[in-house]
Every structure is written in structure tokens, then in C-alpha cells.
């Protein structure tokens, strides 16, 4: 019997993995081959998806990318570890793109059956919770603080400090919420984790509940992720049945109930206070801070709001110890960063490495340059509110502070690569347009400023009052930056200003100096 | 996309009963109605408001805030084309133009034959293999104009 793994991940399926699986079943039956087909999550090497793996002894060997039309030929050539088929990639763990990574959070992604508790435990799962159950709330918070873990959603706030605040705020009802509204373009790490290793998020949230004395948790999941919803729903039911969620968890006398709430297509609900409003069933209007959600959050009670990857990392911190996690990283950015290589990239996917590598190393060594084969011109890091970096900045180390120093941000780790066909005026215009579409409308700089921004950039593009409008645009960016209520309006100027600063030629259309497109 | 066959009023009132006691239950309630009816009829706002202890303005405000909720019927299937940066980097602007011409509609509109409603989406989390398109609940990768036509032919 041959054991075959084919991912059921969104991207793998978007590339035809379901059809490949059906074809494998069909062709195996035709040939009278005995195969066991398992649907794992993805390892995040999306450039190799659909990735077909076979198990041989302790090892797994891969073929990829495998399209439905390749299956018959693969079976004819024989699925074995010394295959000479052109799609054969060798031992999975020897694929350099994967072996060069330091996978802590994504160590199980693509390896296990996402819904098998046994496999999760076999690969170190629930060791963190076991330890946490033997600790006091204060000790758990201390371990998380000592690890140096900072929020992975973008703001990079120290997780331990946030938890300490919730723990120290007296209340009969506290909440743990996972922000799974991963709306940034170029990011898919949360999605990959939820589809490939959902128990890790559930475990992290449970540990958090123990640390802050919360009994109710919510995962706020964006509606754009239907597969993640399916997997999480099943995982929660399995965890409940195993007494790892619900009342009297593992006989500890502690309760933690977990529910999923699905968003409804609003980017702004990834902002923590907007997310809380949405969880309360309201319009996703951003709240004023203070009060901090840690003190007055969901339904006015003390609430932890953490990104999916932050909560997942807590499982590792508890299982392996704060020092182990702290040992990775650079400067004040500790642990690993999950970079998502996307856009015009030859080898795109999830790269988990310690903080400190340069952007160039990532895009060139891991990414292999552009998919189009043309030169890279700009790299947008940190989502739609992140800066566009020109080549002169590609040696910046991936570290929260180093990025801030060059007027950029790491955000949630999205890295979007553009080749030399990109028109930076169009990208700046899109940043403003996106803000106009997605603004919650509560504050004027964001609601009106973004609309005016689009108009100004259109005028500049037509060489209509160019220099006066460039000045106005800068003034508008300043107003949005300092006057907006949250990061939506406050950071929209970042991509716009970086485009203006580093790619001024693109804003000189019609003047005879610029690039005519 | 009226899938259940039950009368709209029944779907609305049973959803209201189901979520009346759920803290922050308005969003799941609206999702349930939209899943059953394909949209949230304007005349259901009164029922929802009274069942949830909210004002009609509050319910209407929530429906109109979120891109997902529609107050009019859409096509049998919704086609979402990703407009975000990672897809732009691999040609989604051209794809977008092609899709609009091919379907003969702009964003927010439904094709004459009632089969498809076209909507923009800002990221489907498939950013390493764009341009991305979602048709109903299926996501498709590396969609160019030819691939899109092929997908339409397969439906």
C-alpha cells in the first residue's frame, strides 16, 4: 500500500489539488493499486503546489507541482523514493526552500492531518497547555513576557504586557479573542495556520484564557476564508469532545468556551476595536483609545485581542520555554517572523525565519526573483498600509525597529514583489482608493482625505497643476497621518509617500521628464 | 439563490429566534438569512429589529456597513475578483477589465441572465499564486483572461 498526501489547503486547491486527488483515486483504482489518500494542510511552499507526497518508512518524498494531467504518468512511472520522474523533488525535508527555514509556528503545517489530535500531540501539540495547567496565571504571563513575544498582527505590542493588564483588571467576565481578519494583501499566514494546524490556535487561546482568567473566547474570522472556517469548526468540535475545550478542561476545574464569528467583508474589522464592535454585532466603527481593550474590551469587559500567529506562538513558548523562543531573533524582535512571499514572485509562499535576515535575501534567495523574469522594481512590505521599498532599501534587516527607521513597517509580514512594469502613481492612487472603500467613516481625515487623495493623484497624473497638487498631496498625507483615529487613515499615507519619495519619475507624466506609460 | 425553499418570512423569523439570545448575535443572524435567501429583504428589518431589541436604524446600519450583505437579490453565483496589490503585481488590472467586458457588468451588478453577480474583493489569501478569483466558495489561482473564460465554460 502507498500512503499519499495531497493538501486540501485553499491555494493548493485553487491550483487543482482536489482534481489531483480525485485523479489519483481513479487512476489507482484502474491499475488495481492500493493507495491510502490523506489530505494534509500545505507546507506553504505554494510554488510547488499541488505537492504530492508519498510516505516511505519514516520519510516523505515529494512530487510537484502535480497537475491532474500528470497523475497517470506518475503512477505509470511508479511512486517511489528513487523515482526519476521530472516532477520528483526528493525527500521533502531536503527541499532547500523548506530546510533553510526555522519553523517553530509552522513546524506541523503540511506534515500532519489538520484534524488529527493524535498527530498534533505526536508532533508536540498540547505540551504547552499541559505545562500551563500546572502553572499559576501569573507564571504563564511571566513566561510569555520573558519570551519577548510581540503581537504579530502588525503593531508588535509586547504580548506579555497586554496579558498582564487583562489579568490585573478585576472582572467576573473576561474574553480572549483571536483576530483572524487577515485582510492585508500579500498575507496568508493566518489562513495557512488555521487550515493546516488549527489545534495550535485553539491551544494558544486556551493557554491565554488560563493566563488571564477568561472563560469565553471568540475567533473573528474573515468571510473570505471559507475553508479555514470549515477546518476550525471541526477542530473546535474535536477539542470539545476530547475535553480540551468547554467545561472543566482536562479535569482542571477551568472552563473555556470557544466560538467562531464570521466577518462580513470589511477590512477595517481587522483593527482591534472595530473587530470588537463587529463581535458585538454592530457596524465596525473604530473606538477611541483609551480605554484599552485590555481594560474595557468586548461588551465592556477586559479582553485580550491577539493575532492568530501570536496566540499560536504561545503554544511553542510554553512547550519549549521562554528562553528557547527568545533565543531566535534580532534586537528587540524576538522569535521567528512568518514572511509571506507574494505578488510577482517565482517561489512564493510562507517563509518562517528568525528576525534579522534582509529583504533582499528573502526575495532573491527564497523567492528566486520575479515570476515574470523581469527585474524587481518595488517591494511593498506590511500590507496595503505598508511602504513601497526601492532597491536602495532592500538590505534592511527584517526587524520591527529597522523597518520603522527607514519609514516602513513589517506589519503582518506580507512581502509583495512588483517587477519593472509597475506604475507607482497607480499604486499610490490605489492606496487612497482602498482607504476610501474601506474607511469606517468615523473620522474625517480618513473618510474624506482618502477621496481627496484619489482626486489629487488623478490630477497629478494628468499634469494638471502638478506642483501645487503635489504640495497639497503632501499636506493631505500629513493631515491623515496625524489626524486619523486609527492606522487605516493614519498609515495610508505610508505607501503614498514612499511611492512619491522613491519613484518620483512615475509622478511626472505629461511633463516630458517622467516615464510615459 | 433561494436555496431552502421555505417562505422568506419563515427563514427570517427562525433566524431571529435562533440568535435572539446570542451576545452580539446580529452578524451571525444576518449571515443566516443571507445564506437562506441570497439577500436580506428590506421588509425583514422590522422583524429583526424587534426580535433583537434594536432599532430599525441600527439593523439597517449594520446591513449597509458590511460589503457582504445585500439588500437585493444577486445572481445565482457571486464572482469575486481580487483587486488587491499582490494580484495587481501579476496582472489583475487587466483581468478585471476582461471580466467586466466578458460578463457585461460592472462591480455590484448582475449579468442579464441572472447567473452571476460581480463583486470586488480585497484579498483571498492566495497571494503567492495570483491573480485570484472566487466563484461561490471556490478560489482559483493564476487566473488570466483565458483561464477565466475556461472557468466560466466549466460552470
Amino acid at each position: 500500500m502507498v500512503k499519499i498526501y495531497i493538501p486540501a489547503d485553499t491555494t493548493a486547491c485553487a491550483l487543482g489539488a482536489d482534481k489531483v486527488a480525485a485523479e489519483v483515486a481513479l487512476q489507482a483504482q484502474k491499475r488495481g493499486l492500493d493507495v491510502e489518500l490523506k489530505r494534509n494542510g500545505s507546507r506553504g511552499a505554494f510554488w510547488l503546489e499541488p505537492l504530492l507526497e508519498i510516505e516511505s518508512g519514516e520519510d516523505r518524498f515529494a512530487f510537484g507541482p502535480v497537475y491532474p494531467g500528470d497523475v497517470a504518468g506518475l503512477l505509470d512511472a511508479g511512486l517511489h523514493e528513487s523515482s526519476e520522474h521530472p516532477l520528483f523533488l526528493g525527500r521533502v525535508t531536503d527541499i532547500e526552500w523548506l530546510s533553510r527555514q526555522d519553523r517553530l509556528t509552522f513546524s506541523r503545517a503540511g506534515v500532519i492531518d489538520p484534524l488529527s489530535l493524535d498527530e498534533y500531540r505526536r508532533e508536540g501539540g498540547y505540551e504547552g497547555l499541559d505545562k500551563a495547567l500546572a502553572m499559576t496565571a501569573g507564571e504563564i504571563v511571566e513566561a510569555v513576557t520573558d519570551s519577548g513575544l510581540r503581537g504579530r498582527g502588525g503593531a508588535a505590542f509586547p504580548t506579555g504586557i497586554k496579558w498582564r493588564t487583562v489579568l490585573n483588571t478585576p472582572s467576573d467576565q473576561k474574553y480572549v479573542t483571536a483576530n483572524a481578519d487577515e485582510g492585508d494583501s500579500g498575507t496568508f499566514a493566518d489562513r495557512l495556520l488555521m487550515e493546516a494546524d488549527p489545534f495550535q490556535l485553539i491551544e494558544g487561546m486556551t493557554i491565554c484564557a488560563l493566563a488571564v482568567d477568561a472563560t469565553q473566547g471568540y475567533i473573528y474570522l474573515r468571510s473570505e476564508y471559507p475553508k479555514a472556517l470549515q477546518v476550525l469548526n471541526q477542530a473546535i468540535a474535536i477539542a470539545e469532545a476530547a475535553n480540551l475545550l468547554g467545561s472543566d478542561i482536562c479535569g482542571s476545574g477551568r472552563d473555556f468556551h470557544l466560538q467562531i464569528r464570521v466577518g462580513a467583508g470589511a477590512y477595517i474589522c481587522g483593527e482591534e476595536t472595530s473587530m470588537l464592535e463587529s463581535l458585538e454585532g454592530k457596524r465596525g466603527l473604530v473606538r477611541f483609545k483609551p480605554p484599552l481593550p485590555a481594560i474595557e474590551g468586548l461588551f465592556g469587559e477586559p479582553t485580550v485581542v491577539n493575532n492568530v500567529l501570536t496566540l499560536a506562538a504561545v503554544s511553542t513558548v510554553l512547550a519549549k520555554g521562554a528562553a528557547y523562543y527568545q533565543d531566535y531573533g534580532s534586537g528587540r524582535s524576538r522569535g521567528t517572523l512568518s514572511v509571506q512571499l507574494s505578488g510577482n514572485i517565482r517561489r512564493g509562499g510562507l517563509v518562517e525565519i528568525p528576525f534579522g535576515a534582509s529583504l533582499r535575501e528573502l526575495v532573491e534567495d527564497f523567492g528566486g526573483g520575479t515570476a515574470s523574469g523581469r527585474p524587481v522594481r518595488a517591494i511593498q512590505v506590511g500590507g496595503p498600509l505598508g511602504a513601497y521599498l526601492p532597491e536602495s532599501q532592500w538590505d534592511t534587516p527584517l526587524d520591527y525597529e529597522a523597518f520603522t527607521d527607514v519609514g516602513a513597517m513589517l506589519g503582518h509580514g506580507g512581502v509583495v514583489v512588483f517587477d519593472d512594469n509597475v506604475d507607482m502613481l497607480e499604486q499610490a492612487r490605489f492606496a487612497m482608493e482602498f482607504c476610501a472603500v474601506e474607511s469606517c467613516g468615523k473620522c474625517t481625515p480618513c473618510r474624506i482625505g482618502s477621496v481627496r487623495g484619489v482626486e489629487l493623484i488623478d490630477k497629478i497624473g494628468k499634469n494638471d497643476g502638478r506642483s501645487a497638487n503635489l504640495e497639497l498631496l503632501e499636506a493631505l498625507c500629513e493631515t491623515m497621518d496625524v489626524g486619523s483615529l486609527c492606522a487605516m487613515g493614519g498609515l495610508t499615507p505610508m505607501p503614498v509617500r514612499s511611492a512619491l519619495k522613491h519613484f518620483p519619475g512615475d509622478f511626472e507624466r505629461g511633463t516630458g521628464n517622467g516615464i510615459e506609460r | 439563490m433561494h436555496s431552502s425553499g421555505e417562505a422568506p418570512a419563515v427563514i427570517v423569523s427562525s433566524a431571529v429566534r435562533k440568535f435572539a439570545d446570542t451576545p452580539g448575535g446580529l452578524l451571525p443572524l444576518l449571515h443566516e438569512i443571507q445564506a437562506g435567501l441570497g439577500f436580506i429583504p428590506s421588509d425583514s428589518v422590522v422583524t429583526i429589529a424587534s426580535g433583537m431589541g434594536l432599532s430599525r436604524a441600527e439593523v439597517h446600519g449594520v446591513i449597509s456597513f458590511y460589503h457582504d450583505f445585500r439588500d437585493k437579490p444577486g445572481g445565482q453565483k457571486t464572482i469575486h475578483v481580487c483587486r488587491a496589490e499582490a494580484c495587481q503585481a501579476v496582472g489583475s488590472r487587466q483581468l478585471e477589465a476582461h471580466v467586466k467586458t466578458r460578463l457585461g457588468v460592472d462591480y455590484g451588478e448582475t449579468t442579464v441572465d441572472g447567473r452571476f453577480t460581480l463583486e470586488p474583493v480585497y484579498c483571498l489569501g492566495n497571494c503567492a499564486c495570483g491573480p485570484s478569483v472566487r466563484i461561490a466558495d471556490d478560489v482559483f489561482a493564476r487566473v488570466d483572461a483565458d483561464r477565466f473564460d475556461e472557468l466560466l465554460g466549466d460552470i
Side-chain angles (χ1 to χ4, degrees):
Chain A
M1 192 195 63
V2 196
K3 201 171 189 179
I4 297 177
Y5 293 83
I6 298 170
D9 162 271
T10 294
T11 290
C13 291
L15 290 163
D18 282 339
K19 284 188 177 153
V20 173
E23 190 66 12
V24 165
L26 178 77
Q27 295 294 338
Q29 194 190 17
K30 271 190 183 170
R31 289 165 176 74
L33 275 174
D34 188 13
V35 299
E36 183 191 349
L37 192 58
K38 288 192 78 166
R39 302 302 299 271
N40 52 337
S42 172
R43 295 178 191 259
F46 291 133
W47 57 290
L48 291 173
E49 295 287 1
L51 185 73
L52 182 152
E53 295 173 32
I54 54 163
E55 195 166 87
S56 172
E58 293 287 290
D59 287 322
R60 289 190 7 205
F61 296 83
F63 297 83
V66 176
Y67 297 106
D70 300 320
V71 171
L74 271 180
L75 292 188
D76 288 340
L79 287 175
H80 53 76
E81 59 187 79
S82 49
S83 170
E84 282 174 12
H85 195 279
L87 294 178
F88 186 59
L89 299 164
R91 190 178 277 108
V92 184
T93 47
D94 289 345
I95 297 173
E96 207 200 334
W97 195 91
L98 288 167
S99 65
R100 282 180 58 199
Q101 302 190 26
D102 279 303
R103 290 206 163 184
L104 304 181
T105 299
F106 287 90
S107 64
R108 283 175 293 258
V111 176
I112 62 168
D113 171 349
L115 293 172
S116 164
L117 258 184
D118 287 343
E119 292 182 25
Y120 180 66
R121 283 189 187 280
R122 193 190 67 208
E123 298 290 331
Y126 277 116
E127 276 173 23
L129 180 65
D130 289 343
K131 291 197 179 148
L133 283 167
M135 293 160 78
T136 65
E139 286 167 354
I140 303 173
V141 171
E142 206 176 298
V144 172
T145 307
D146 290 347
S147 74
L149 178 64
R150 291 164 71 182
R152 295 291 190 256
F157 188 81
T159 307
I161 294 177
K162 189 182 275 186
W163 289 19
R164 169 80 60 200
T165 309
V166 176
L167 174 64
N168 290 344
T169 306
S171 170
D172 294 338
Q173 178 69 64
K174 299 179 185 180
Y175 297 99
V176 175
T177 61
N179 186 341
D181 195 38
E182 184 175 47
D184 284 359
S185 169
T187 66
F188 42 75
D190 297 351
R191 178 188 66 66
L192 178 63
L193 184 110
M194 292 185 286
E195 291 182 18
D197 195 15
F199 291 118
Q200 190 179 181
L201 171 61
I202 295 171
E203 181 183 356
M205 291 184 78
T206 312
I207 293 170
C208 180
L210 295 174
V212 302
D213 275 335
T215 52
Q216 176 69 48
Y218 292 98
I219 299 172
Y220 187 84
L221 178 70
R222 64 199 299 257
S223 61
E224 290 85 347
Y225 286 177
K227 271 189 198 291
L229 174 64
Q230 235 176 34
V231 176
L232 281 173
N233 267 326
Q234 294 178 70
I236 288 175
I238 292 167
E240 281 171 348
N243 196 217
L244 291 159
L245 275 180
S247 303
D248 191 21
I249 295 167
C250 304
S252 64
R254 307 289 299 272
D255 300 348
F256 182 56
H257 301 275
L258 183 57
Q259 280 183 24
I260 302 172
R261 285 294 166 84
V262 179
Y267 175 78
I268 193 60
C269 291
E271 196 282 334
E272 61 176 0
T273 63
S274 167
M275 185 194 88
L276 294 173
E277 290 287 302
S278 189
L279 276 173
E280 292 183 10
K282 301 173 183 161
R283 291 162 69 89
L285 294 187
V286 171
R287 295 179 185 171
F288 288 96
K289 284 193 279 194
L292 294 171
I295 293 167
E296 271 181 53
L298 188 61
F299 303 114
E301 304 294 348
T303 303
V304 171
V305 184
N306 272 148
N307 172 254
V308 169
L309 298 186
T310 315
L311 289 160
V314 165
S315 310
T316 308
V317 169
L318 268 287
K320 307 226 171 171
Y324 177 86
Y325 195 79
Q326 229 269 343
D327 225 28
Y328 291 88
S330 91
R332 286 169 51 215
S333 304
R334 309 313 308 175
T336 52
L337 175 68
S338 300
V339 181
Q340 298 125 87
L341 284 180
S342 66
N344 196 331
I345 188 95
R346 201 153 75 85
R347 295 193 294 257
L350 185 118
V351 179
E352 182 178 359
I353 45 173
F355 286 94
S358 76
L359 189 56
R360 189 188 298 275
E361 260 176 272
L362 258 173
V363 170
E364 290 177 359
D365 297 356
F366 279 97
T370 61
S372 60
R374 300 182 65 91
V376 179
R377 180 154 187 250
I379 304 175
Q380 187 180 29
V381 181
L385 309 177
Y388 285 97
L389 282 78
E391 182 165 8
S392 60
Q393 295 184 332
W394 297 345
D395 293 312
T396 309
L398 296 159
D399 161 317
Y400 294 120
E401 280 69 36
F403 263 65
T404 307
D405 289 347
V406 300
M409 66 167 185
L410 268 188
H412 184 51
V415 171
V416 180
V417 176
F418 292 80
D419 73 10
D420 61 352
N421 276 319
V422 67
D423 179 342
M424 295 307 296
L425 179 135
E426 287 298 330
Q427 296 312 119
R429 184 190 189 280
F430 179 80
M432 286 291 189
E433 186 191 354
F434 181 68
C435 182
V437 173
E438 297 296 337
S439 172
C440 83
K442 185 160 176 169
C443 73
T444 315
C446 177
R447 183 184 69 246
I448 309 279
S450 52
V451 177
R452 294 290 172 259
V454 172
E455 292 167 0
L456 281 174
I457 295 171
D458 280 344
K459 284 184 185 163
I460 293 164
K462 289 180 193 142
N463 196 24
D464 172 0
R466 193 178 157 273
S467 65
N469 282 323
L470 278 171
E471 251 178 72
L472 255 182
L473 180 60
E474 175 47 37
L476 175 68
C477 283
E478 181 69 12
T479 302
M480 290 176 73
D481 180 355
V482 299
S484 297
L485 190 51
C486 80
M488 176 96 228
L491 291 177
T492 291
M494 192 183 271
V496 177
R497 280 170 155 162
S498 63
L500 282 162
K501 182 176 174 190
H502 303 301
F503 306 92
D506 289 23
F507 295 82
E508 294 189 11
R509 272 188 207 165
T511 62
N513 302 322
I515 304 155
E516 302 299 330
R517 289 176 193 271
Chain B
M1 215 171 70
H2 182 172
S3 48
S4 66
E6 281 183 83
V10 175
I11 288 178
V12 171
S13 57
S14 75
V16 170
R17 264 198 311 280
K18 184 170 165 189
F19 291 105
D21 298 323
T22 305
L26 185 56
L27 254 71
L29 183 154
L30 294 174
H31 273 304
E32 178 130 328
I33 293 175
Q34 182 148 307
L37 297 173
F39 71 112
I40 298 158
S42 328
D43 58 11
S44 68
V45 171
V46 180
T47 317
I48 298 168
S50 68
M52 299 298 282
L54 298 167
S55 71
R56 280 183 297 161
E58 283 170 313
V59 175
H60 173 75
V62 170
I63 295 170
S64 58
F65 182 85
Y66 294 96
H67 300 305
D68 282 1
F69 299 133
R70 351 177 22 96
D71 58 3
K72 291 180 186 63
Q76 289 160 19
K77 287 191 169 157
T78 300
I79 297 181
H80 284 101
V81 176
C82 180
R83 292 197 68 212
E85 291 88 341
C87 286
Q88 290 168 12
V90 281
S92 67
R93 289 171 196 265
Q94 292 89 317
L95 173 69
E96 204 178 349
H98 172 80
V99 171
K100 287 181 182 178
T101 313
R102 177 67 212 258
L103 297 176
V105 294
D106 204 337
Y107 286 128
E109 297 177 352
T110 300
T111 53
V112 183
D113 61 8
R115 288 181 73 203
F116 304 112
T117 297
L118 181 65
E119 294 287 353
V121 66
Y122 298 90
C123 198
L124 291 164
N126 182 47
C127 320
C129 303
S132 309
V133 168
R134 176 177 172 183
I135 303 177
D137 268 354
D138 294 322
V139 177
F140 298 92
R142 296 188 190 128
V143 183
D144 57 11
D146 290 345
R147 176 80 179 120
F148 180 77
D149 292 348
E150 207 178 284
L151 290 172
L152 271 194
D154 289 347
I155 295 171

